[in-house]
Amino acid sequence: MVDIITEIPRSFTDGELDEAFMNEIKSGFKLEKETEHLRVEQARKEALQEKGKTHPALGKCVATMPAREFFRLTSKYGHKEVHSKEFLKYYNKKFSDLSPNKI
């Protein structure tokens, strides 16, 4: 037989929980900032590997970016906008090291 626990005994005050959440958020932002350069370096390596290459089904790779950045952009601006020709031209100009083949 499975016992379902409906109430969890609280041993922390609301203030302690709030403080713990704030510390977790602050350390998460710090970790995100510290590891961002690693994700960008990986995208640069991928861009160098794709330079001058054409995939038989997908064509030329015109931009690489870290996945987190891609998902942030698509949630903010939408999938259609991030894949638009105007955005890709802007991205090629702004991040030429992440753009293996120009449009």
Side-chain angles (χ1 to χ4, degrees):
M1 178 170 194
V2 177
D3 292 330
I4 298 175
I5 300 172
T6 56
E7 289 188 33
I8 299 173
R10 293 187 65 152
S11 58
F12 300 105
T13 65
D14 287 340
E16 291 172 328
L17 286 174
D18 291 345
E19 184 179 344
F21 281 134
M22 285 306 297
N23 288 337
E24 184 64 31
I25 290 169
K26 289 176 185 177
S27 66
F29 282 138
K30 184 180 177 186
L31 180 63
E32 181 75 18
K33 200 166 198 142
E34 289 173 355
T35 59
E36 181 179 9
H37 75 281
L38 297 173
R39 292 187 295 274
V40 172
E41 284 301 316
Q42 179 63 33
R44 279 193 187 107
K45 287 178 187 177
E46 291 172 8
L48 283 173
Q49 290 174 348
E50 295 297 324
K51 197 165 201 139
K53 293 182 182 176
T54 303
H55 189 277
L58 301 174
K60 288 187 175 187
C61 174
V62 294
T64 62
M65 68 177 65
R68 290 183 186 185
E69 184 65 22
F70 172 77
F71 290 119
R72 276 190 218 119
L73 288 171
T74 55
S75 68
K76 186 172 183 179
Y77 299 109
H79 195 274
K80 188 175 181 179
E81 179 64 29
V82 173
H83 286 87
S84 71
K85 195 169 189 171
E86 293 82 23
F87 177 81
L88 290 173
K89 284 182 180 181
Y90 163 78
Y91 192 82
N92 284 168
K93 190 187 323 181
K94 181 92 171 158
F95 302 102
S96 58
D97 57 334
L98 298 175
S99 304
N101 302 301
K102 304 298 181 217
I103 293 180

